[in-house]
Amino acid sequence: MAKLLPKRDAVIIGLGWTGAILAQQLTEAGLNVVAIERGPWRDTPTDFNVAYMQDELRYAIRKELFLKPSVEAMTMRNTVAQTAMPMRDYGSFLPGDGVGGAGVHWNGQTWRFWSSDFSIRSHLAQRYGAARMNGLMLQDWGVTWNEIEPSFDKFEYLCGISGKAGNLKGRVVPGGNPFESARSRDYPTPPMKMSYAPTLFAQMVKEQGYHPFPTPSANLSTAYVNPLGVRMGQCTYCGFCERFACGNYSKASAQTTILPVLMKKPNFELRTECEVLKVNLAPDGKMAKSVTYIDAKGVEYEQPGDIVVICAYALMNVRMMLLSKIGAQYDPVTGQGTVGRNYCYQTGSGARMFFEGKHFNPFIGAGTLGQTMDDFNGDAFDHGPLDFLGGGGINCVVTNGRPISNRPTAPGSPRWGAGWKKATIEGYNSSMGFSAQGSSYPVRENYLDLDPTYTDRHGRPLLRITFDFPDNDIRMSHFMSDQLEKISKPFGAKVTTVSRAKKGWDAVPYQSTHNTGGAIMGGDPKTSAVNKYLQSWDVPNVFVIGASAFAHNAGMNPTGTVGALAFWAAQAITTKYIKSPGKLVRA
Amino acid sequence: MSEQRALSRRRLLASVAALPILAATADGASISGTMPWSPFAGEPPKPVNPLGWYFFTPDEVVTIEAVVNRLIPADNLSPGGKASGCAVYIDRQLAGAFGQAQRLYMKGPFMPGLPSQGYQGDLTPAGRYRLGLRALNDYAHATHKRGFAQLAPAQQDAVLAGMDGGKIALRLKPGFSTKEFFEMMLQNSMEGFFADPLYGGNRNMASWKMIGFPGARYDYRDHIDKHNVPYPRPPVSIYSAEG
């Protein structure tokens, strides 16, 4: 029998990026909030030590800051005809763990999805006709650009993002991204300094008529004090960013932007190393009354709350809903049900060029040290004559030159024995790459549910991922690979290689921790799990925050949009819900 | 004097009242009203003791040393895998959390999967090495009538290439293929060769000097603008000065 604890105004599950934003905004509105976090407390001065953070083996290879599959694994298969097997180690994507979540070890590439993403169905129907979307479950997100733009602004100023505006209130600004949707003001800090590879990339693609711009970065170009009064430091381009925590206070995370303020509030409490097992509903299933969690000693507690905010990683949000019976499981055969629907990923390809006599110093890097061109992203280009929808950002970002993992060699080089060292020395300093981060569009057969066989350490079913790259996305990605080939020609490299996406998503090699959908937002409770305010259609005192709400995934990193959705949902709770609890949208 | 004392007593009381409520209670660690902080809470890495063997048997030592020396042969570019400490590195990894599969999901049922679903066997990494090295020596005895370490370098290379290319099947067990064993040895050898020296390999930062990686440096602001210019400083490691 779980021990019953005193009720709180709001219970937040998970204290990563979204949990920290929700906790900050809800406590600011006077609510008494408890956050329950499965992983440990982590902070910069104690855990992210500049004297030993630059340890590739410990953090990048042994993945010390990441979620262990022994704590929570998932199963995967490509099609419903296959038997899903557990990912016994995480490979293709790496979920976070502990306070700060994946925001501790992200790269910091901070995008705003476009106006044409939030209204994707309306936009594409108007431009090409609705029939072009046959086979794709593209749908509007329920929130419009003008509604969400101020929330993007809040997240960027919280983080101090370094970048250059390309569209200020509808006026195109040279040097920024001309394809971005109109923003109300410029980035809070100027762009990062550029090393050789992105500088060369920008010069070469500009000469070809494209529009390169500095990739918006949560690694800061300069010291910054955010609106909460929290100070951040200048990035030192150390090359230990993604998979690592920052020891310099230079990368935006819950630790470096919110926690110093949030943790001091008397109306906030954090419980670490406590895993929420499920959200408990009232007998009629229409309201959440509490969450059940288990502490590190294995003792169970019941924490009641008026509002429950699910702020775990996108995939875990979906699992928590399914374990708690919040909303109906999506069925890929009938198309009925909403939870688990529209699971999407990212469709990538890359180019690498090997030169003679160039020195790129790849170890001078940062998670977002780079240049991007969006000329082939989203619907920035005419899809009229093409056989696909979607696109990708083309990024030349130099994240690192850490040698256990990052030793590019020219094609055909031996991987060991006589000959591999020479190829390694040649490729290490004198090659550069750029990549296309392609969109991922929803199809009927890609979805999430609970695995019938495999369970976690508490005996609860694991999440099951059924996913393969849809044909539309493969055609899109091949188009992107063609562009990479064209773009790379004038560089004059000795050898160039370009990768091509293929069917059969492989869970082993790392690809991207951009898992989206499964609890998507929208305007219709038949096709979305949460409404435009990220409020459950079925259980209105439950809000589900994160990339789980994305109705599709664009050719951009998700965190900027996740942060904006967190501020947007928090605003709905503090200005609408607490004044008049109940459904914020009537369907 | 007494007033000052009273003041400091008041101050003391006030500071006690403001003490953080940070207690490991039955609720787990509950934190409220403060940023928790305790000195030396982090865990610096512990350099491995380079002497002796913690996991490998004497037979396994000579076998793995022969393997790492063929995967990373000694030449004018760097010392070989053995002299670099790669076998010591692998030994210490297998004796620790990695070898015991502490990260991994190890619940059954164990069933064969597709290559895209990753390793599905029930052996820990330590168990895979134990089985794999014995099978490698059994193969060498069966085909050449000596252990792998006693083969000529060209013969050793041929065996490794056969494992790499799927032409040689060692007697392992279902769910653990010869190719998987080869990839594991290659990955772990390269880890030892390129990781920070504190883990037992990469002695004298030889691999970092070889490719021009400056190691554990943490600030390149003085060189970010110097395009196409080689970085001038030698590598440093976490516990050593410049090498």
Side-chain angles (χ1 to χ4, degrees):
Chain A
M1 190 67 187
K3 184 184 166 192
L4 187 66
L5 299 169
K7 189 162 108 173
R8 299 299 176 99
D9 296 330
V11 179
I12 294 178
I13 303 173
L15 196 71
W17 257 134
T18 61
I21 291 170
L22 266 290
Q24 168 64 21
Q25 300 302 98
L26 267 50
T27 50
E28 216 43 33
L31 299 191
N32 194 323
V33 175
V34 60
I36 302 174
E37 164 59 47
R38 172 167 62 189
W41 171 258
R42 284 185 180 135
D43 197 16
T44 311
T46 46
D47 302 279
F48 313 151
N49 193 313
V50 285
Y52 54 80
M53 186 46 66
Q54 53 287 59
D55 185 340
E56 181 182 13
L57 183 75
R58 178 177 182 177
Y59 296 105
I61 306 297
R62 298 284 174 257
K63 306 169 190 154
E64 181 163 311
L65 298 174
F66 294 98
L67 176 67
K68 293 181 176 70
S70 56
V71 172
E72 181 178 353
M74 298 170 197
T75 68
M76 67 77 66
R77 59 183 179 174
N78 291 136
T79 69
V80 292
Q82 297 170 345
T83 303
M85 300 297 287
M87 294 182 270
R88 296 190 177 276
D89 198 1
Y90 284 115
S92 177
F93 58 88
L94 299 171
D97 178 44
V99 169
V104 166
H105 43 68
W106 68 317
N107 264 328
Q109 300 172 23
T110 312
W111 298 101
R112 297 171 163 211
F113 280 19
W114 294 346
S115 173
S116 54
D117 285 307
F118 293 102
S119 308
I120 192 163
R121 184 157 201 96
S122 312
H123 168 85
L124 292 173
Q126 190 184 14
R127 189 164 177 186
Y128 307 111
R132 271 301 293 272
M133 285 176 275
N134 282 351
L136 299 174
M137 302 211 299
L138 289 168
Q139 56 194 64
D140 293 354
W141 292 32
V143 65
T144 64
W145 177 253
N146 287 338
E147 287 174 315
I148 194 81
E149 196 280 335
S151 298
F152 277 106
D153 183 84
K154 282 183 195 157
F155 185 63
E156 287 172 358
Y157 274 74
L158 177 82
C159 296
I161 303 300
S162 299
K164 172 134 180 76
N167 183 337
L168 266 178
K169 297 176 181 169
R171 182 172 56 87
V172 172
V173 184
N177 181 6
F179 303 105
E180 71 171 348
S181 299
R183 57 170 58 246
S184 49
R185 55 177 167 164
D186 205 337
Y187 288 97
T189 56
M192 299 272 276
K193 284 187 175 177
M194 291 292 150
S195 61
Y196 185 35
T199 306
L200 184 63
F201 172 83
Q203 178 202 327
M204 297 304 292
V205 302
K206 201 170 179 184
E207 283 172 13
Q208 297 175 59
Y210 299 122
H211 301 84
F213 59 92
T215 314
S217 174
N219 329 125
L220 300 202
S221 61
T222 181
Y224 177 71
V225 181
N226 80 8
L228 299 178
V230 183
R231 288 171 185 277
M232 294 178 64
Q234 183 181 43
C235 177
T236 62
Y237 308 91
C238 76
F240 292 89
C241 201
E242 99 280 37
R243 301 195 179 200
F244 300 78
C246 182
N248 279 330
Y249 301 85
S250 316
K251 176 164 72 174
S253 65
Q255 278 82 353
T256 55
T257 64
I258 298 173
L259 297 186
V261 173
L262 174 66
M263 296 305 300
K264 290 180 188 140
K265 292 184 174 182
N267 55 337
F268 178 71
E269 182 192 349
L270 167 64
R271 295 186 199 135
T272 57
E273 296 179 65
C274 291
E275 178 166 9
V276 174
L277 299 175
K278 63 174 174 165
V279 180
N280 302 302
L281 306 186
D284 65 1
K286 289 185 176 156
M287 288 292 276
K289 60 186 179 79
S290 62
V291 307
T292 297
Y293 71 87
I294 188 164
D295 74 3
K297 297 188 185 79
V299 181
E300 275 190 31
Y301 295 85
E302 183 178 350
Q303 173 62 63
D306 287 330
I307 304 171
V308 173
V309 193
I310 304 178
C311 290
Y313 186 62
L315 292 163
M316 286 74 162
N317 282 354
V318 176
R319 180 171 179 241
M320 187 60 67
M321 292 179 81
L322 292 173
L323 291 171
S324 310
K325 302 197 182 333
I326 298 168
Q329 167 70 55
Y330 167 75
D331 180 338
V333 177
T334 63
Q336 303 289 306
T338 56
V339 183
R341 196 176 192 275
N342 282 37
Y343 172 68
C344 293
Y345 196 36
Q346 202 93 70
T347 323
S349 56
R352 182 151 286 273
M353 298 176 293
F354 297 85
F355 294 87
E356 251 167 31
K358 285 193 190 296
H359 288 273
F360 289 106
N361 298 322
F363 43 83
I364 301 179
T368 320
L369 169 61
Q371 294 269 337
T372 297
M373 53 171 269
D374 268 347
D375 300 67
F376 296 108
N377 207 348
D379 198 38
F381 56 111
D382 182 15
H383 289 72
L386 301 171
D387 60 356
F388 63 87
L389 293 169
I394 298 181
N395 301 292
C396 178
V397 178
V398 183
T399 61
N400 79 91
R402 300 187 300 266
I404 297 174
S405 302
N406 203 342
R407 287 175 278 120
T409 53
S413 303
R415 296 191 304 148
W416 55 276
W420 79 269
K421 278 189 218 167
K422 188 164 171 289
T424 300
I425 295 165
E426 283 171 3
Y428 184 72
N429 247 313
S430 61
S431 76
M432 65 169 276
F434 51 88
S435 60
Q437 177 165 250
S439 53
S440 179
Y441 283 174
V443 293
R444 177 181 275 252
E445 54 268 26
N446 287 340
Y447 74 108
L448 307 171
D449 67 352
L450 294 176
D451 192 88
T453 306
Y454 291 96
T455 57
D456 70 6
R457 57 186 179 166
H458 305 303
R460 300 177 301 165
L462 301 185
L463 189 75
R464 176 168 68 178
I465 301 174
T466 304
F467 178 81
D468 202 354
F469 300 107
D471 293 339
N472 172 78
D473 295 357
I474 293 280
R475 291 193 294 269
M476 176 279 300
S477 188
H478 288 176
F479 173 85
M480 295 307 298
S481 293
D482 293 343
Q483 306 316 310
L484 297 181
E485 264 171 22
K486 273 189 227 166
I487 288 166
S488 64
K489 283 222 166 72
F491 281 73
K494 192 172 62 170
V495 183
T496 300
T497 60
V498 174
S499 68
R500 290 195 165 254
K502 51 180 191 287
K503 293 289 273 192
W505 168 54
D506 186 342
V508 180
Y510 185 79
Q511 287 149 74
S512 170
T513 309
H514 302 167
N515 313 79
T516 69
I520 67 170
M521 59 195 295
D524 182 348
K526 287 197 186 64
T527 57
S528 55
V530 297
N531 65 25
K532 66 186 281 191
Y533 302 111
L534 282 71
Q535 179 186 40
S536 163
W537 287 109
D538 301 278
V539 185
N541 65 335
V542 171
F543 291 77
V544 188
I545 319 295
S548 48
F550 290 14
H552 68 274
N553 200 9
M556 299 176 221
N557 308 59
T559 303
T561 300
V562 169
L565 290 177
F567 274 108
W568 167 250
Q571 183 182 309
I573 294 170
T574 56
T575 64
K576 295 175 193 284
Y577 184 87
I578 57 177
K579 284 181 187 140
S580 173
K583 295 187 175 186
L584 296 178
V585 178
R586 294 275 155 205
Chain B
M1 185 68 184
S2 68
E3 193 185 307
Q4 195 180 359
R5 226 163 153 178
L7 195 72
S8 59
R9 183 173 156 73
R10 265 206 305 278
R11 215 181 264 149
L12 180 70
L13 286 172
S15 69
V16 169
L19 261 187
I21 306 157
L22 167 61
T25 67
D27 296 354
S30 169
I31 307 165
S32 187
T34 186
M35 279 291 274
W37 189 81
S38 56
F40 312 115
E43 289 177 47
K46 293 185 187 70
V48 306
N49 175 357
L51 301 176
W53 300 93
Y54 290 50
F55 173 77
F56 289 131
T57 64
D59 274 357
E60 289 170 341
V61 168
V62 292
T63 309
I64 193 68
E65 284 186 337
V67 170
V68 299
N69 239 14
R70 293 322 298 159
L71 296 177
I72 303 169
D75 57 21
N76 60 349
L77 297 170
S78 84
K82 179 179 169 180
S84 298
C86 290
V88 171
Y89 162 82
I90 295 173
D91 180 79
R92 303 309 189 266
Q93 290 292 307
L94 293 177
F98 170 75
Q100 306 312 311
Q102 282 184 11
R103 258 191 73 75
L104 306 183
Y105 181 78
M106 293 295 281
K107 287 181 86 173
F110 291 92
M111 299 185 286
L114 300 165
S116 63
Q117 293 171 319
Y119 176 73
Q120 292 295 334
D122 61 353
L123 291 173
T124 62
R128 282 176 250 173
Y129 268 90
R130 188 123 283 158
L131 177 63
L133 290 176
R134 193 176 64 211
L136 177 57
N137 264 325
D138 288 348
Y139 176 86
H141 276 291
T143 53
H144 296 92
K145 305 216 173 351
R146 341 164 173 195
F148 180 82
Q150 283 77 49
L151 302 183
Q155 288 173 315
Q156 291 173 335
D157 283 354
V159 172
L160 291 170
M163 294 170 67
D164 184 11
K167 300 239 165 61
I168 288 176
L170 307 182
R171 286 174 64 100
L172 298 172
K173 63 181 280 190
F176 180 39
S177 70
T178 300
K179 174 71 171 167
E180 279 173 317
F181 180 48
F182 177 83
E183 290 298 328
M184 192 176 194
M185 291 196 295
L186 179 60
Q187 167 69 19
N188 295 150
S189 300
M190 293 301 172
E191 287 167 8
F193 192 61
F194 286 109
D196 192 282
L198 73 91
Y199 294 102
N202 193 14
R203 285 187 187 149
N204 304 314
M205 298 180 264
S207 73
W208 293 353
K209 290 172 189 163
M210 179 183 93
I211 60 172
F213 175 60
R217 293 185 183 276
Y218 210 58
D219 188 350
Y220 294 111
R221 283 174 295 182
D222 61 347
H223 204 80
I224 178 99
D225 289 330
K226 293 177 184 164
H227 294 171
N228 207 8
V229 177
Y231 185 73
R233 294 191 185 87
V236 295
S237 66
I238 288 174
Y239 284 122
S240 80
E242 295 189 355

